[in-house]
Amino acid sequence: MNNDPSPEDLRVFCAIVRKASFTSAAQELGVSRSYVTKRVQVLEARLGTRLFHRTTRRIVVTGEGERVYHWALRILNDMDHLVEEIGVTRQTPRGSLRICSSFGFGRRVVAPALSALLARYPALQVRFEVFDRLVDIASEGFDLDIRVGDEIAPHLIARHLADNHRVLCAAPAYLARRGVPRTLADLAAHDCLVIKERDHPFGVWRLDNGRETQSIKVRGPLSSNNGEIVMQWALDGCGIALRSAWDAGPLLQAGQLVQVLPEYRQQAAVWAVYPSRLETSARLRVCVEFLQAYLRGRDVQAMNRPEDRPAG
């Protein structure tokens, strides 16, 4: 009888350590908590050691468990590379990818792109999650983060996927009621729809007119952490929003929104951010290259120049 630890048991164990919870690990893996518990019991029996201290409130990795965790990561990584190398020679990328993005952009743009990716490479398995916060991709176990915005920490590896920027916009009804701002300083007298997005400072709009970049403190009676909510408020005539041209372009073209201070914009390109170089992972490289082609294949230029189109 083979008493060596199985790769599946090691994967379950690593998920528990990463999540610090049997229940959270089960949810991440898409299995029951009882299955997770059973796999740990089998792994502990095969290794002849206790991996966790369990209490009613939390679990703590034992000293031996820490050693097993580091070895398990190396073993699983080596196995993944073996499978990938075989996949490369067969021109069939395979294996799993954990990908994350922001709520609105993730739902509207990244999710359809991933659907197209799986249609092209059916041997891949993708777990996609969206957040309203900045994700530490390495410590949280993600392979790839699709971000909107040019502020990328220097220790991360990133590839530019597509151009994009944010524009100031409001509904015609709001501008008829409150007037049209003529300068950035005028925004202080307006209701600005503030959004807290992942790593962006709350209530501060950094805007560029091609000659200089200015940071403007804005405020208003409505704020949210969700871009789709803010866009709906803008359509309802509640105030001025700073939204991505990917979102605002069609509404500006239809006349539902009007661009405000069109000489100003906020650069917000789309980036793929990952913890290790693409050369180390065939499936990650294929995914990033596919997303780059997919996003650039959209009518990005048209969406990025709504000010060149008539508002009505």
Side-chain angles (χ1 to χ4, degrees):
M1 178 180 178
N2 183 6
N3 287 322
D4 292 338
S6 73
E8 175 63 14
D9 291 348
L10 294 177
R11 291 188 191 279
V12 170
F13 169 68
C14 288
I16 297 170
V17 175
R18 188 170 61 250
K19 291 291 188 178
S21 166
F22 277 59
T23 300
S24 297
Q27 292 172 346
E28 175 182 307
L29 297 170
V31 298
S32 67
R33 191 184 188 285
S34 60
Y35 175 83
V36 168
T37 301
K38 177 62 176 178
R39 297 329 308 166
V40 170
Q41 291 172 345
V42 170
L43 183 60
E44 288 180 328
R46 286 180 172 174
L47 295 174
T49 188
R50 192 175 185 83
L51 300 175
F52 298 104
H53 295 303
R54 302 172 181 84
T55 69
T56 56
R57 293 192 174 186
R58 62 173 185 161
I59 62 168
V60 178
V61 183
T62 65
E64 287 297 306
E66 289 282 359
R67 293 178 58 193
V68 173
Y69 178 65
H70 292 300
W71 274 103
L73 289 178
R74 292 177 58 183
I75 292 169
L76 294 173
N77 188 56
D78 287 345
M79 291 184 65
D80 287 343
H81 285 174
L82 170 62
V83 173
E84 285 179 356
E85 285 188 17
I86 295 173
V88 168
T89 50
R90 294 164 53 192
Q91 297 300 308
T92 308
R94 62 183 65 242
S96 61
L97 285 170
R98 291 191 69 212
I99 301 173
C100 61
S101 189
S102 56
F103 275 135
F105 190 75
R107 184 184 68 80
R108 291 188 306 276
V109 179
V110 181
L114 295 178
S115 177
L117 171 70
L118 267 292
R120 175 78 62 84
Y121 302 108
L124 291 174
Q125 296 93 43
V126 173
R127 182 179 180 89
F128 181 50
E129 299 182 44
V130 292
F131 298 92
D132 63 351
R133 61 175 175 83
L134 190 63
V135 176
D136 186 339
I137 52 178
S139 66
E140 297 185 49
F142 285 95
D143 301 294
L144 179 63
D145 183 9
I146 307 302
R147 296 186 186 176
V148 177
D150 295 335
E151 297 181 8
I152 308 294
H155 70 280
L156 295 173
I157 305 171
R159 175 179 289 195
H160 178 266
L161 296 181
D163 291 322
N164 181 44
H165 63 260
R166 298 186 177 95
V167 297
L168 294 163
C169 52
Y174 173 84
L175 297 175
R177 185 174 73 252
R178 297 291 302 276
V180 179
R182 302 300 178 186
T183 68
L184 288 183
D186 291 345
L187 293 176
H190 280 268
D191 294 334
C192 293
L193 302 171
V194 183
I195 180 170
K196 179 65 178 76
E197 289 185 297
R198 306 231 280 181
D199 55 341
H200 304 146
F202 184 76
V204 177
W205 288 350
R206 297 181 67 239
L207 298 162
D208 180 13
N209 64 1
R211 299 183 302 276
E212 61 177 347
T213 299
Q214 298 184 52
S215 294
I216 305 297
K217 181 68 176 177
V218 296
R219 62 181 180 177
L222 290 171
S223 62
S224 177
N225 67 341
N226 185 280
E228 292 178 322
I229 291 173
V230 166
M231 185 62 81
Q232 185 58 54
W233 285 339
L235 290 169
D236 292 341
C238 297
I240 298 174
L242 178 65
R243 295 306 301 144
S244 169
W246 293 69
D247 302 329
L251 299 172
L252 291 166
Q253 184 182 18
Q256 294 176 270
L257 294 176
V258 175
Q259 189 165 355
V260 175
L261 298 171
E263 68 273 23
Y264 286 96
R265 62 176 58 186
Q266 183 183 86
Q267 296 302 321
V270 184
W271 295 85
V273 182
Y274 34 93
S276 59
R277 296 193 176 279
L278 296 182
E279 291 78 8
T280 66
S281 172
R283 61 181 180 271
L284 180 60
R285 184 184 70 253
V286 164
C287 178
V288 170
E289 291 175 351
F290 179 89
L291 290 174
Q292 189 173 46
Y294 179 94
L295 294 178
R296 292 182 179 181
R298 293 168 59 106
D299 190 9
V300 179
Q301 183 176 3
M303 287 189 288
N304 277 347
R305 294 187 178 273
E307 65 271 23
D308 294 338
R309 300 183 175 197

